[in-house]
Amino acid sequence: MNTPLVPLHLDATGTLPPPASDDRNLAGWYADGTTPGETGTAVIVGHLDTRQGTAAFYRLSTLTPGQTTIVQRGDGSTAIFSIDEVQNYPKSAFPTDHVYQPTGRPELRLITCAWPYDRAHGGYQDNTVVYAHLTGTTPSSTGAAGSVTNPR
């Protein structure tokens, strides 16, 4: 799936919100953080589903170590990441420091909601986090918008 990226910023509570749910094909990149492919931890978040049905990161939890994901950057270059691990965490015990920690190499985190769903307690109770590291890049081509492609 090729998913367009929109820039995201922390909200008033210091939380990175997902992209607007009116377009289930969108994912969002933490625009005040590391650019995917640069040294550090880049973060992309997307919805598991919306009222319209399955969304961009619906299959995120099915990714496995060794698969790749490609981020097409705003300048048209691509950053190719190899998946290291996929973890589920309860939202009530989300390991923020571990997920967002700075790294000495280019890394990527893909994040979405995860089952179980409990309407009485605010919806999805877990998050899926994909950890990946940069394994390659391709040169830029003009006119490209940011996007992420999963899996390969």
Side-chain angles (χ1 to χ4, degrees):
M1 168 180 267
N2 190 355
T3 304
L5 293 176
V6 295
L8 298 174
H9 305 276
L10 298 179
D11 65 17
T13 67
T15 302
L16 184 63
S21 62
D22 58 345
D23 184 344
R24 63 187 182 157
N25 189 42
L26 288 181
W29 158 63
Y30 176 46
D32 297 320
T34 301
T35 300
E38 300 298 321
T39 299
T41 304
V43 178
I44 297 175
V45 299
H47 290 285
L48 174 70
D49 60 14
T50 68
R51 292 181 191 269
Q52 293 81 32
T54 59
F57 280 6
Y58 183 75
R59 294 179 31 88
L60 198 67
S61 67
T62 68
L63 299 179
T64 59
Q67 288 183 300
T68 59
T69 186
I70 299 170
V71 177
Q72 185 172 22
R73 296 160 32 121
D75 66 0
S77 66
T78 59
I80 303 161
F81 293 89
S82 179
I83 295 170
D84 298 313
E85 66 178 302
V86 180
Q87 294 290 326
N88 276 6
Y89 302 107
K91 287 187 178 188
S92 61
F94 189 82
T96 302
D97 291 343
H98 178 67
V99 172
Y100 295 105
Q101 73 184 349
T103 63
R105 67 180 184 169
E107 294 193 12
L108 177 67
R109 305 292 185 262
L110 303 173
I111 304 172
T112 194
C113 292
W115 301 98
Y117 186 87
D118 185 341
R119 184 181 308 269
H121 290 96
Y124 289 104
Q125 300 301 296
D126 289 359
N127 284 111
T128 296
V129 180
V130 172
Y131 297 84
H133 70 279
L134 185 72
T135 54
T137 59
T138 62
S140 64
S141 59
T142 59
S147 65
V148 62
T149 304
N150 291 309
R152 211 171 144 198

